[in-house]
Amino acid sequence: MHRLIIFASGQGSNAQAIIDYFKKEGGVEVVLIVSNKAEAGVVNMAQREGIPYLLTNNKRLNETLILEELAGHNPSLIVLAGFLLKIPSAIIEAFRGRIINIHPALLPKWGGQGMWGHRVHHAVLEAGELQSGITIHLVDEEYDHGATLLQATCPVISGDIADTLAARIHKLEHFYYPRAIQFLLSNMAEE
Ligand code: GRF
């Protein structure tokens, strides 16, 4: 059985898509959800799904205690799904190559510090891009910078606003993120 830890700060629709996918597919258990927002939808979801969750903040994220807690769950992958705090280098170092993120645009454009949520979609729309999409990538010490694992595109449609583009991109995310995780896990030994 592969174990996943999901980090998320928002509504958690990607976390939900991943959980639902592996409920059907089997072989993968989400063992912990980490969030920095007690009132986030993803925390409700963890409660509803009966998945243990851990509330953190910037300070706690940088303490060795959390590193030990994460390591104690022995995850195959740590999956960032809309997590807004920077992952400390000690965590990246401990799980190098095993932390992945999803970004709601085609990196390397439209990424970096402060580029999250609707800000990304506004920037894409303002630039008059004809397509946008998603990037699933390894996490390294820089925001939105690690090696790309998968990109998928969707059109920007005339009349789009950030909400309509975000909804189209969420559909791509919900389809591809669980499958990308499954593919990565298929090349990893189970412990
Ligand atoms: C997603 O669009 C993801 O690309 C970004 O944050 C958003 C999280 O959405 N990193 P949700 O909380 O999974 O609905």
Side-chain angles (χ1 to χ4, degrees):
M1 184 70 98
H2 281 293
R3 283 176 293 278
L4 297 184
I5 297 177
I6 300 179
F7 281 50
S9 307
Q11 57 174 340
S13 71
N14 277 285
Q16 186 75 65
I18 292 164
I19 289 162
D20 291 347
Y21 183 80
F22 288 113
K23 268 190 204 163
K24 279 198 215 123
E25 294 282 311
V28 176
E29 193 185 350
V30 177
V31 292
L32 182 69
I33 295 197
V34 178
S35 185
N36 60 317
K37 287 202 178 145
E39 69 283 6
V42 73
V43 174
N44 283 333
M45 194 212 65
Q47 289 166 340
R48 214 171 45 239
E49 297 284 348
I51 298 172
Y53 63 92
L54 180 70
L55 292 175
T56 189
N57 56 29
N58 218 11
K59 183 171 171 287
R60 266 182 271 157
L61 206 54
N62 280 282
E63 289 166 357
T64 45
L65 203 60
I66 192 163
L67 197 53
E68 284 164 17
E69 166 123 29
L70 297 176
H73 285 281
N74 197 16
S76 300
L77 283 176
I78 293 180
V79 174
L80 310 188
F83 188 66
L84 295 179
L85 299 182
K86 190 145 176 22
I87 303 296
S89 48
I91 295 181
I92 294 172
E93 195 55 54
F95 298 97
R96 184 155 321 264
R98 290 189 292 137
I99 310 180
I100 63 172
N101 182 43
I102 190 162
H103 187 77
L106 299 171
L107 294 173
K109 279 169 125 182
W110 326 117
Q113 186 161 16
M115 284 299 272
W116 56 272
H118 274 22
R119 291 188 206 177
V120 177
H121 306 307
H122 283 305
V124 169
L125 291 171
E126 271 164 33
E129 293 284 322
L130 297 177
Q131 65 172 18
S132 190
I134 61 168
T135 304
I136 297 170
H137 64 93
L138 290 179
V139 171
D140 68 10
E141 282 79 357
E142 285 178 53
Y143 278 109
D144 302 326
H145 177 266
T148 297
L149 301 170
L150 181 145
Q151 286 190 312
T153 64
C154 64
V156 175
I157 295 172
S158 160
D160 260 344
I161 56 172
D163 275 341
T164 53
L165 183 55
R168 198 172 305 120
I169 282 176
H170 260 117
K171 279 192 198 157
L172 279 185
E173 294 186 326
H174 298 164
F175 183 83
Y176 283 108
Y177 211 10
R179 287 165 176 82
I181 291 166
Q182 190 175 41
F183 181 76
L184 284 172
L185 293 176
S186 73
N187 291 312
M188 286 181 181
E190 281 177 53
E191 285 177 34

